[in-house]
Amino acid sequence: MPVPTSVETLLSSQNITYDLAATTPEGSDAVVWYQQHLRQQGAARSILLQDEIGRVQVVLGADRLLDLSAVNRHLSRELRAAEPDALKQFCEANQFQSVPALPQVAGLLTLVDQQLLERDSLLLDSGDDGQLIRVDSNEFQQILKDAIVCELSVALAPLEADDSGADDTVQIAGAIRNFTQLRVRQRLEETLELPPLSDTAQRIIKLRVDPNADISDLAQIVETDPSLAAQVVSWAASPYYSAPGKIKSIHDAIVRVLGFDMVLNLALGLALGKTLHLPKDSPNGELPYWQQAVYMAATIEGLVTAIPRDARPSFGMAYLTGLLHNFGALIMAEVFPPYYQQFCRLSEANPHVTPQTIERHLLKISRDQIASQLMDLWGMPEEVVVGLRQQNNPNYQGEYAVYAKLVYLARMLLRQHNIGSGPCEAIPEALFAELQLTRDKAEATVANVIESSDDLEHIASALNQS
């Protein structure tokens, strides 16, 4: 497969000899395989940044995280990742599938990470997905004449180290001390006082452990919160559930459409979501909080239904974990506003990196850690605490691992449809086996969810505005 013409022209004009490497194996998901191969090989990739002055190209290893603040300090600018539409137009205009990892290939000011020059040979993204170029490091340096070489990245590996066995309380306390020392915000200790659990949520949690609780008890709690009641009725009345006739009350929603267990967990998830403010900032292209939550809950609902009946986990616990899977983002935005803004910009500039990795770079802790700690403090079920904490660890084997694995699977399936955040990852066959699902059934489940996107987005829109 030939490289883009402009890339070949640049290499030829500089008398650079190169070899072609990496073509997608037959039967593979091309995008997922190529992105993972870039990372595994430490290949160089390009990121397009922009501000009011113009565009800048940055070249760094795919196994590195771009430090956007370092770039802006070096250039005295306020650059951020190019918006998805602008990036698409740029690539189409230059006949690229991605921005090649070659300085000034499109005539832009280019910054090159110093770390790349420490390698004997380099693999470069050619701008044609599925095709890498191998060049000698000395020859690569021949085309750096007008580029700026500087330190502008950090290694990903230490940030992605398995922390499933970490003491989250100790790590969070250490992070707080670090923030105070750096004076990130004045009176940070006051800022870190997390909000109390709402009265409605407290009552629902108590109801969960009451063996004598019935439909009337649940309906009475939900009806005392008019906003919550309206949301539950709206959910049940959505075309997604195709309920016969008009939904007139909470009791009606429970009996005729959703069922006791689902309404119990739906109401709890909605009540918790309303405890914190929705972020005013977010990474470009990322769906709003409630839209992600609704898609995730619907996908997990379908996955649990597809599992053989005798092997199914608690439907309610799985649904609630899915609905709350991104609750940590709300906490980060509320408790650490300056850092959350930095997170958004870094996330845009590092689409190959998970949100949790970026958070460890900025905060030394991840959203999953702090969300699970808060759920534990609030007395939430252990299934939810574990599910949130381990949702990015498909290899976790502790008690209640099934809830974490379901969230991971649902997230990866949705990422294949550009829903959610972070890079796409190949889903291991072992995960399907553990959950007693087939890949075909799982993919059919998410396909059904995508087909119902209009109905789900109608539900999410009402939640975002409430």
Side-chain angles (χ1 to χ4, degrees):
M1 184 183 297
V3 298
T5 302
S6 56
V7 171
E8 187 173 12
T9 300
L10 176 63
L11 293 171
S12 298
S13 67
Q14 298 287 332
N15 295 317
I16 303 296
T17 57
Y18 65 92
D19 297 318
L20 297 181
T23 55
T24 308
E26 187 175 349
S28 300
D29 183 319
V31 174
V32 173
W33 182 88
Y34 187 61
Q35 292 302 318
Q36 289 188 332
H37 189 72
L38 281 174
R39 169 66 192 281
Q40 291 166 0
Q41 299 297 319
R45 64 195 305 272
S46 269
I47 296 171
L48 190 66
L49 307 179
Q50 65 183 25
D51 60 8
E52 294 180 353
I53 299 174
R55 291 171 174 164
V56 171
Q57 177 187 358
V58 177
V59 181
L60 72 160
D63 55 353
R64 311 284 293 184
L65 181 144
L66 175 63
D67 185 348
L68 198 57
S69 61
V71 174
N72 285 327
R73 283 197 305 270
H74 197 90
L75 297 179
S76 298
R77 292 174 64 171
E78 296 183 4
L79 291 154
R80 57 186 289 182
E83 295 184 2
D85 286 345
L87 178 59
K88 180 179 180 182
Q89 291 173 7
F90 176 83
C91 288
E92 288 178 348
N94 290 280
Q95 298 182 326
F96 301 145
Q97 291 181 350
S98 58
V99 184
L102 286 167
Q104 295 143 334
V105 69
L108 299 177
L109 170 65
T110 305
L111 274 67
V112 176
D113 188 16
Q114 175 70 45
Q115 185 270 342
L116 284 177
L117 305 188
E118 298 171 5
R119 308 181 185 188
D120 294 332
S121 66
L122 291 168
L123 281 172
L124 311 176
D125 183 356
S126 70
D128 184 343
D129 285 350
Q131 192 72 68
L132 294 178
I133 299 170
R134 188 187 306 277
V135 300
D136 182 86
S137 180
N138 291 329
E139 292 201 330
F140 179 72
Q141 293 184 48
Q142 292 179 30
I143 53 177
L144 300 184
K145 181 177 64 173
D146 296 318
I148 299 173
V149 179
C150 56
E151 294 184 0
L152 47 80
S153 73
V154 296
L156 282 174
L159 301 173
E160 294 175 336
D162 181 13
D163 61 0
S164 58
D167 187 328
D168 292 343
T169 303
V170 172
Q171 287 199 5
I172 292 170
I176 292 170
R177 287 195 298 272
N178 188 46
F179 300 150
T180 305
Q181 292 167 3
L182 296 174
R183 297 183 180 180
V184 173
R185 293 189 63 182
Q186 291 183 342
R187 303 174 70 185
L188 186 61
E189 294 85 352
E190 294 179 10
T191 304
L192 287 173
E193 289 182 1
L194 294 167
L197 195 60
S198 71
D199 179 64
T200 299
Q202 290 183 55
R203 294 175 66 191
I204 295 174
I205 289 176
K206 290 180 181 178
L207 191 67
R208 285 196 55 82
V209 297
D210 183 352
N212 300 314
D214 58 23
I215 292 173
S216 297
D217 296 323
L218 176 57
Q220 184 179 29
I221 292 174
V222 176
E223 286 167 352
T224 60
D225 187 328
S227 173
L228 179 59
Q231 289 162 6
V232 172
V233 169
S234 175
W235 201 292
S238 166
Y240 181 73
Y241 288 102
S242 303
K246 187 176 181 180
I247 306 300
K248 300 177 181 179
S249 65
I250 294 297
H251 190 278
D252 208 20
I254 298 172
V255 174
R256 289 205 297 119
V257 186
L258 302 176
F260 180 87
D261 197 34
M262 182 170 179
V263 170
L264 180 71
N265 290 286
L266 172 61
L268 181 53
L270 295 176
L272 292 181
K274 298 301 178 184
T275 302
L276 303 174
H277 298 97
L278 292 177
K280 295 180 180 179
D281 194 2
S282 63
N284 282 332
E286 184 169 293
L287 295 180
Y289 173 82
W290 281 115
Q291 198 166 335
Q292 290 191 50
V294 168
Y295 271 109
M296 179 64 78
T299 301
I300 286 183
E301 178 183 8
L303 291 174
V304 173
T305 302
I307 294 173
R309 188 177 297 276
D310 60 353
R312 287 177 191 167
S314 164
F315 175 83
M317 287 294 96
Y319 190 88
L320 179 58
T321 305
L323 197 63
L324 294 173
H325 81 283
N326 205 28
F327 194 73
L330 292 188
I331 302 173
M332 291 293 186
E334 177 124 344
V335 176
F336 310 115
Y339 278 92
Y340 188 73
Q341 186 178 45
Q342 289 184 52
F343 162 80
C344 292
R345 303 295 79 79
L346 280 173
S347 183
E348 294 165 352
N350 293 277
H352 62 300
V353 177
T354 66
Q356 291 76 12
T357 300
I358 296 173
E359 287 156 358
R360 291 190 194 99
H361 168 63
L362 289 172
L363 304 168
K364 311 305 179 189
I365 52 174
S366 72
R367 64 181 64 183
D368 299 343
Q369 289 178 280
I370 200 166
S372 63
Q373 281 287 293
L374 183 56
M375 293 295 160
D376 191 42
L377 289 172
W378 279 347
M380 291 289 286
E382 189 67 15
E383 293 92 328
V384 176
V385 174
V386 172
L388 295 187
R389 178 64 183 88
Q390 302 295 340
Q391 64 178 293
N392 287 287
N393 182 6
N395 299 315
Y396 180 70
Q397 296 299 330
E399 190 175 9
Y400 306 124
V402 63
Y403 300 100
K405 293 177 187 293
L406 278 168
V407 176
Y408 177 85
L409 176 58
R411 283 182 52 252
M412 290 302 106
L413 289 169
L414 288 170
R415 282 302 298 132
Q416 293 175 6
H417 296 271
N418 295 318
I419 295 172
S421 56
C424 291
E425 297 177 9
I427 303 171
E429 287 296 335
L431 183 59
F432 293 107
E434 286 186 76
L435 294 174
Q436 297 192 38
L437 282 167
T438 65
R439 185 180 292 271
D440 287 345
K441 281 187 176 181
E443 291 179 345
T445 292
V446 78
N448 290 335
V449 170
I450 300 302
E451 286 179 7
S452 304
S453 59
D454 289 346
D455 297 334
L456 294 174
E457 288 178 15
H458 177 75
I459 295 174
S461 178
L463 293 170
N464 280 318
Q465 294 171 9
S466 61

